Amino acid sequence: MLLLKKWKRVAYISLLCGLTLGAGVVLGGCGQEEFVKTEFTADAAAPGFRALPPKVDIVIVPDNTPSGNAVFNEMQAEFNGFANNLRNGTYYWDYHVARVPIANPPEIEQVLVNPEFNTGFLSDGTPIPSLPNPGLVPSAYAVNEPSQFPLLYNTVSTGSIDYTYQNIFSRLYNSRTFDTCTGASCVNFFREDALLAIVVFTNGADYTVDPNRNGSINYSQLQVHANNLLGLKNNNRELIRFYPVASNSWRDGTGSNYCLAPGGTALFGGSYFEMLNLGLISGARFDFCNRGSLLSVMDSINAQLQLIQQAYIYSYIVLTEEPLPDSIQLTRNGVGINQGRTNGWEYVGFDSVYTISGVCQLGPNGQCPRDASGALLSSAVTRFNPGLNRRAGYVIRLNGSAEFVGSDQIGLVYKRR
């Protein structure tokens, strides 16, 4: 996350002769003016420097076909733990959670939200802008408490077909944020600047990818599904993750163990695992038969969110109080940054801006790669449309190599006006 050292702001106060301090109390004498340094501790939570919660849209895709009937309770218990960790602050996320069952799913009409961030104002009083759409879920669709958000709420009859990928794409597409919308699209589940995590929990196979349900994969169709999902994120691979929790092998329908699918045949999950094996979308695979898989997914999502938070690109710094422009001193990782329009900082004055302008792909050293001038390497950067972290205040614009990423350490010293 973006860090700010507790630097000192220095103000110079002139002690003038004849200054009245109170009723009948006057500092006498008119000797030489004396200038005394007074130190002010910088506010590490000032707008532009506050620790931003990473945004994540989580789609849970539970198996609601007969073969999954025996594990409904298992899945619900794991989901309760998953959701409670979200709600009780274990993970400091601005989350949306939606359900898209494997078979015959309805449109997304309920979204589990973090109520701290599904509001028109952040905790420090900063208003969230109305345009572009901030991705707030309207109260008619928002659920604050996990206990009121059951994972499994409909089942289908024997003979249902798993069109998992098609259903996921369709429901996500219809839940995007629009400036004007009607019906289910107004749910505002999907946010373009959030990490999209798709969690498929099934012992079945996608019919379009494995039509014979014997592990024989239609790779061209799998590529089509990958392209569709990546297209939702403008092909920004850093903002989408796929987590299949599926069967590691084909099993017949005999036996009482839930992994043996007493409600039907358990199928090998190759139609999901191959999405990862081919590198079409990044993520991690888990075994449907291992208890605790959903909580393992949670840990994996959290690790990815921390990387994304570190890779946010900051193009503006916003202060709560007016500085003297000539007094501003700015450093990144201990190295000074000069004032300038090309590769430096500019003081803009009072304005309202989106402090975060994109995300970069961190290199092996955990840093966002830069070119010889120090500017972020364009091939490793994806720029967002404005919409993330709008702040109002006294603005310093960062140009070219002066831009920060979330893993950088910022130093800022200035005198207030």
Side-chain angles (χ1 to χ4, degrees):
M1 74 178 57
L2 195 65
L3 299 176
L4 174 66
K5 284 185 174 179
K6 289 186 178 297
W7 291 79
K8 300 293 185 180
R9 296 190 301 235
V10 180
Y12 291 90
I13 300 177
S14 175
L15 300 180
L16 303 177
C17 62
L19 177 64
T20 301
L21 297 182
V25 179
V26 178
L27 289 180
C30 288
Q32 184 178 0
E33 288 186 342
E34 180 183 7
F35 291 87
V36 180
K37 288 184 179 181
T38 301
E39 294 186 339
F40 299 88
T41 302
D43 181 3
F49 290 108
R50 65 192 300 275
L52 295 170
K55 291 183 179 182
V56 58
D57 297 336
I58 303 172
V59 186
I60 304 292
V61 186
D63 191 336
N64 61 336
T65 64
S67 65
N69 286 344
V71 295
F72 277 10
N73 291 336
E74 294 280 348
M75 281 191 283
Q76 186 63 60
E78 288 196 33
F79 178 74
N80 289 345
F82 179 99
N84 286 331
N85 278 340
L86 288 175
R87 186 66 181 91
N88 67 18
T90 301
Y91 298 98
Y92 183 63
W93 297 348
D94 176 1
Y95 58 80
H96 286 180
V97 183
R99 304 159 298 199
V100 178
I102 289 285
N104 303 332
E107 296 290 349
I108 296 174
E109 294 180 344
Q110 281 191 315
V111 180
L112 181 65
V113 301
N114 185 336
E116 181 179 353
F117 302 110
N118 195 57
T119 175
F121 293 86
L122 298 176
S123 58
D124 63 2
T126 300
I128 296 175
S130 57
L131 290 174
N133 243 325
L136 301 184
V137 177
S139 58
Y141 305 114
V143 179
N144 294 338
E145 296 297 333
S147 61
Q148 301 173 7
F149 191 80
L151 175 62
L152 301 166
Y153 61 99
N154 73 325
T155 59
V156 294
S157 61
T158 302
S160 60
I161 298 177
D162 304 4
Y163 293 111
T164 309
Y165 288 117
Q166 292 179 1
N167 289 337
I168 293 171
F169 174 76
S170 171
R171 300 309 180 260
L172 286 176
Y173 185 88
N174 291 340
S175 71
R176 295 177 303 166
T177 298
F178 293 96
D179 291 339
T180 58
C181 60
T182 58
S185 63
C186 290
V187 71
N188 283 353
F189 166 75
F190 183 92
R191 298 168 293 181
E192 73 167 16
D193 58 0
L195 174 70
L196 174 62
I198 302 171
V199 184
V200 177
F201 200 97
T202 181
N203 60 1
D206 182 277
Y207 182 82
T208 63
V209 176
D210 186 3
N212 297 320
R213 303 192 178 192
N214 61 2
S216 179
I217 306 300
N218 183 332
Y219 288 101
S220 61
Q221 186 60 53
L222 188 63
Q223 181 71 66
V224 169
H225 293 315
N227 292 343
N228 287 340
L229 293 173
L230 287 168
L232 291 170
K233 287 295 180 184
N234 295 317
N235 295 315
N236 182 359
R237 298 175 60 86
E238 297 304 306
L239 288 182
I240 184 169
R241 290 294 182 269
F242 184 59
Y243 299 100
V245 183
S247 297
N248 279 337
S249 63
W250 188 92
R251 306 165 192 265
D252 64 26
T254 63
S256 59
N257 187 301
Y258 83 91
C259 284
L260 300 181
T265 300
L267 304 172
F268 175 58
S271 57
Y272 305 108
F273 295 150
E274 286 296 282
M275 185 73 78
L276 304 178
N277 294 340
L278 297 175
L280 301 180
I281 297 179
S282 298
R285 60 179 279 181
F286 300 90
D287 184 6
F288 180 84
C289 294
N290 286 347
R291 298 184 181 186
S293 291
L294 199 54
L295 297 183
S296 297
V297 170
M298 180 78 135
D299 291 337
S300 184
I301 294 174
N302 184 51
Q304 181 59 31
L305 279 173
Q306 298 310 312
L307 290 177
I308 291 211
Q309 190 176 34
Q310 291 177 18
Y312 281 150
I313 300 169
Y314 290 79
S315 297
Y316 295 93
I317 295 173
V318 184
L319 305 175
T320 55
E321 58 188 10
E322 186 176 5
L324 289 171
D326 292 341
S327 72
I328 294 172
Q329 300 175 47
L330 193 60
T331 64
R332 183 182 64 245
N333 302 324
V335 179
I337 297 177
N338 295 326
Q339 186 175 3
R341 294 185 175 182
T342 302
N343 286 310
W345 61 266
E346 289 182 274
Y347 179 65
V348 175
F350 192 86
D351 203 350
S352 179
V353 295
Y354 297 96
T355 61
I356 294 177
S357 62
V359 64
C360 74
Q361 184 175 358
L362 296 178
N365 61 353
Q367 302 296 319
C368 187
R370 297 177 182 268
D371 62 22
S373 71
L376 298 172
L377 202 62
S378 59
S379 60
V381 168
T382 299
R383 297 288 177 177
F384 292 137
N385 292 324
L388 184 58
N389 193 38
R390 184 175 182 176
R391 317 293 290 178
Y394 298 93
V395 175
I396 300 171
R397 180 165 54 222
L398 308 173
N399 302 312
S401 61
E403 287 185 309
F404 294 114
V405 295
S407 55
D408 286 331
Q409 195 170 63
I410 296 173
L412 175 62
V413 177
Y414 66 93
K415 302 175 194 174
R416 64 186 182 185
R417 187 178 291 278

